[in-house]
Amino acid sequence: MAAGEPGCPGGFYFRFLPQRTFSSLSSREVTGRLRQWSMLGRIQAQAFSFDQTFQPYQKDDFVMAFFRDPNVIPNLQLLSDSPGQWTTLGTEVKKIEAVNVPCTQLSMSFFQRLYDENIVRESGHIVKCFDSFCEPFLISDELRKVLLMEDSEKYEVFSPQEREEFLFCVFKHLCLGGSLCQYEDMLKPYLETAKLIYKDLVRTLLVCATLQLKSMSRHSLTLSWIPSSVM
């Protein structure tokens, strides 16, 4: 389907780039961490290109065109209901929800407040707390309290707007992990991995397609593709 043809909203045409790899998800160190956090085989990135002019007000047409593109439908990978099994989109999407995800944070100093608020000690150790539950997660340290528990006294360390940042979303996703996650005692592995993934996905893009976690359940994740302007 060429740009501008019927059924291609906004004239957007996409090309699958199977040769584009993401080193942040394939290095030995990162794959070891993902395995520990029960995320190995359950997280991946794919690249598609387009060469038309894009404006933010066109985001709905852009996303709909993406999901209806004949180069996307047979190639876009989705995690199936079977544990660790991937499948392709396989059919046109009838309804979409496009959400702008800001990528304005360009430094890991964004997380310095975790030290300032004694959520993480100067040594880098994450401060422990009495166990509690925020379904389906067991909360056993102050970091996960800040990420999940809105009634926590330190939840407001990050504002609602900051929690929408793509860097925060990546960091949070890594910290929470999968169903058999072995949590870290130190903050450093989370920060290092989030930085690698973030830079890998957005460093060269003027418009990027990113994934937004729409459900906190480890067992049922609804994901949407989001066009986001990047400096």
Side-chain angles (χ1 to χ4, degrees):
M1 184 184 297
E5 287 187 3
C8 188
F12 296 109
Y13 175 76
F14 298 87
R15 184 164 61 94
F16 180 43
L17 304 177
Q19 73 280 6
R20 170 68 166 94
T21 59
F22 297 86
S23 58
S24 61
L25 295 174
S26 59
S27 71
R28 179 179 298 181
E29 185 174 24
V30 170
T31 54
R33 290 171 179 171
L34 293 177
R35 181 179 293 107
Q36 177 182 334
W37 302 335
S38 190
M39 299 177 71
L40 188 63
R42 299 183 62 83
I43 179 173
Q44 68 166 289
Q46 293 178 277
F48 296 82
S49 69
F50 73 99
D51 58 7
Q52 291 81 43
T53 301
F54 170 79
Q55 298 295 334
Y57 69 85
Q58 297 174 294
K59 63 181 176 64
D60 291 334
D61 286 342
F62 180 88
V63 176
M64 182 59 79
F66 176 80
F67 280 114
R68 289 182 173 179
D69 194 282
N71 290 319
V72 173
I73 293 173
N75 292 304
L76 180 62
Q77 295 284 304
L78 304 175
L79 195 61
S80 70
D81 293 333
S82 301
Q85 298 297 314
W86 292 82
T87 184
T88 57
L89 181 61
T91 185
E92 286 189 0
V93 170
K94 303 301 183 183
K95 183 179 180 181
I96 57 96
E97 178 185 4
V99 180
N100 289 322
V101 177
C103 298
T104 63
Q105 294 298 327
L106 304 178
S107 171
M108 298 305 288
S109 61
F110 178 61
F111 298 105
Q112 177 60 39
R113 68 197 75 182
L114 296 175
Y115 294 91
D116 298 339
E117 296 294 332
N118 199 35
I119 296 162
V120 177
R121 304 191 192 282
E122 291 185 9
S123 63
H125 285 84
I126 301 169
V127 176
K128 301 297 182 181
C129 66
F130 291 113
D131 288 351
S132 59
F133 284 91
C134 183
E135 189 63 33
F137 298 95
L138 171 65
I139 309 297
S140 57
D141 59 55
E142 294 294 331
L143 176 59
R144 266 155 282 279
K145 283 177 67 176
V146 167
L147 295 176
L148 291 173
M149 299 183 68
E150 296 185 15
D151 58 351
S152 167
E153 60 181 8
K154 295 182 180 180
Y155 186 82
E156 295 182 0
V157 165
F158 294 96
S159 69
Q161 293 75 25
E162 289 172 329
R163 289 173 180 271
E164 293 176 356
E165 285 281 341
F166 184 42
L167 179 57
F168 184 90
C169 293
V170 172
F171 174 75
K172 179 178 180 180
H173 194 38
L174 295 175
C175 291
L176 297 180
S179 58
L180 300 176
C181 179
Q182 301 174 53
Y183 294 127
E184 299 284 350
D185 293 322
M186 304 287 290
L187 183 66
K188 184 178 179 180
Y190 296 129
L191 292 180
E192 288 182 344
T193 309
K195 179 180 179 180
L196 288 172
I197 293 175
Y198 185 71
K199 289 178 64 177
D200 205 10
L201 292 181
V202 305
R203 63 184 174 179
T204 61
L205 303 179
L206 296 178
V207 177
C208 68
T210 62
L211 287 174
Q212 168 76 3
L213 187 63
K214 301 298 290 183
S215 169
M216 291 312 302
S217 169
R218 288 192 181 109
H219 306 292
S220 178
L221 301 181
T222 303
L223 302 175
S224 58
W225 284 87
I226 303 158
S228 175
S229 298
V230 181
M231 297 296 293

